Amino acid sequence: MLVLLPPSEGKAASGHGAPLKPESLSLPSLAGARAAVLDGLVELCAADEEKARVVLGLSEGLRGEIAKNVELRTAGARPAGELYTGVLYDAMDLASLDAAARRRAGKSLLVFSGLWGAVRVGDRIPPYRCAMGVKLPGLGALGAFWRAPMAEVMPEAAGDGLVLDLRSSAYTAAWKPKGEVAERTASVRVLHSQRVDGVEKRSVVSHFNKATKGRMVRDLLRAGVRPKGPAELVTALRDLGYVVEAAAPARPGRTWELDVVVTEIH
């Protein structure tokens, strides 16, 4: 099983230990594209702080993130699974998993990134600020920039098993599964169900959506289940207590879409 995750804007305040070693990152075929984005980002942030703030979409309160980008090559790094601290990652709580579950996380979780393309949770990277929606001078929109490099590496990374796609829309722009890979890919939407005047109403709540996805990944890792495809994933999630609605795609070459329905927000 390969689980595709978005990164988080929330990150640990600093890395620790040795700085970034680009050659040590997973998916080494992305090295050239990573170097191009890294060079462009560092150059932008070193040359013009105000322009960098606008390009990166940062508020005045986040202006300090620009200086961090300038120091990316020398800043201390830490595993990506520790670096990201947003709602989804807090809910996964990888550090509290037992050794077997952490090993499974290292093999199965792949985090998409505007700067790195995609990394494993064990890859050591420094704190940075560069979302997939950024239009970097000289490279353009990063979602479009990453499509060709990711198309080269993702079919092999996906292997021959289930692909569980939990990315947000900005990060799906960098790679969309096609053909037989799509047919064994499942994307998940979390819906909050509540009754209003006796009528069920469903809605998507962003914060809760991320938290539920994080708990779902954690439960799958702890259980050690290895669903071979979307249908088996539905069964596994139901066995873990989730309410899942799903239907096979109407046409070949399409991904499965799963709705996880919850009644409580926490």
Side-chain angles (χ1 to χ4, degrees), residues 136-140:
L136 205 58
L139 297 180

Side-chain angles (χ1 to χ4, degrees), residues 100-181:
R102 288 199 300 272
R103 285 194 296 271
R104 288 190 283 269
K107 294 178 180 179
S108 63
L109 305 186
L110 190 66
V111 184
F112 273 61
S113 162
L115 175 53
W116 312 114
V119 293
R120 302 281 185 182
V121 291
D123 288 339
R124 295 176 59 85
I125 54 177
Y128 68 96
R129 181 66 69 143
C130 185
M132 190 65 81
V134 164
K135 294 182 179 179
L136 205 58
L139 297 180
L142 292 179
F145 171 83
W146 281 111
R147 283 176 197 155
M150 297 305 292
E152 291 292 324
V153 303
M154 283 306 299
E156 181 178 355
D160 58 3
L162 169 72
V163 178
L164 175 55
D165 191 351
L166 302 180
R167 297 173 296 165
S168 53
S169 58
Y171 291 88
T172 60
W175 181 70
K176 294 182 179 180
K178 297 180 179 180
E180 64 89 18
V181 177

Side-chain angles (χ1 to χ4, degrees), residues 18-241:
L20 170 73
K21 295 181 179 179
E23 69 278 6
S24 72
L25 298 179
S26 302
L27 307 181
S29 297
L30 296 178
R34 286 169 175 155
V37 179
L38 179 61
D39 288 346
L41 180 61
V42 171
E43 180 179 345
L44 167 69
C45 293
D48 189 330
E49 183 178 284
E50 179 58 22
K51 180 179 179 180
R53 187 185 71 80
V54 174
V55 169
L56 297 176
L58 300 178
S59 66
E60 282 290 344
L62 292 174
R63 187 179 286 271
E65 298 295 304
I66 298 168
K68 291 182 181 180
N69 282 347
V70 175
E71 304 297 329
L72 281 170
R73 295 190 180 91
T74 56
R78 67 171 67 199
E82 297 178 11
L83 181 72
Y84 296 118
T85 59
V87 174
L88 187 151
Y89 292 86
D90 288 347
M92 281 198 301
D93 195 10
L94 296 177
S96 70
L97 293 173
D98 63 34
R102 288 199 300 272
R103 285 194 296 271
R104 288 190 283 269
K107 294 178 180 179
S108 63
L109 305 186
L110 190 66
V111 184
F112 273 61
S113 162
L115 175 53
W116 312 114
V119 293
R120 302 281 185 182
V121 291
D123 288 339
R124 295 176 59 85
I125 54 177
Y128 68 96
R129 181 66 69 143
C130 185
M132 190 65 81
V134 164
K135 294 182 179 179
L136 205 58
L139 297 180
L142 292 179
F145 171 83
W146 281 111
R147 283 176 197 155
M150 297 305 292
E152 291 292 324
V153 303
M154 283 306 299
E156 181 178 355
D160 58 3
L162 169 72
V163 178
L164 175 55
D165 191 351
L166 302 180
R167 297 173 296 165
S168 53
S169 58
Y171 291 88
T172 60
W175 181 70
K176 294 182 179 180
K178 297 180 179 180
E180 64 89 18
V181 177
E183 293 175 6
R184 49 187 168 85
T185 297
S187 61
V188 173
R189 180 175 62 166
V190 179
L191 298 177
H192 176 220
S193 172
Q194 56 184 331
R195 301 197 73 81
V196 179
D197 297 328
V199 178
E200 183 192 28
K201 293 188 177 181
R202 293 181 175 183
S203 60
V204 176
V205 183
S206 178
H207 180 283
F208 184 57
N209 171 61
K210 295 174 183 177
T212 300
K213 287 179 177 178
R215 286 192 290 268
M216 184 174 66
V217 173
R218 178 180 176 83
D219 288 343
L220 289 168
L221 292 172
R222 291 181 64 190
V225 295
R226 297 181 179 179
K228 296 180 179 179
E232 292 85 352
L233 173 65
V234 172
T235 299
L237 289 174
R238 287 173 177 166
D239 288 344
L240 289 169

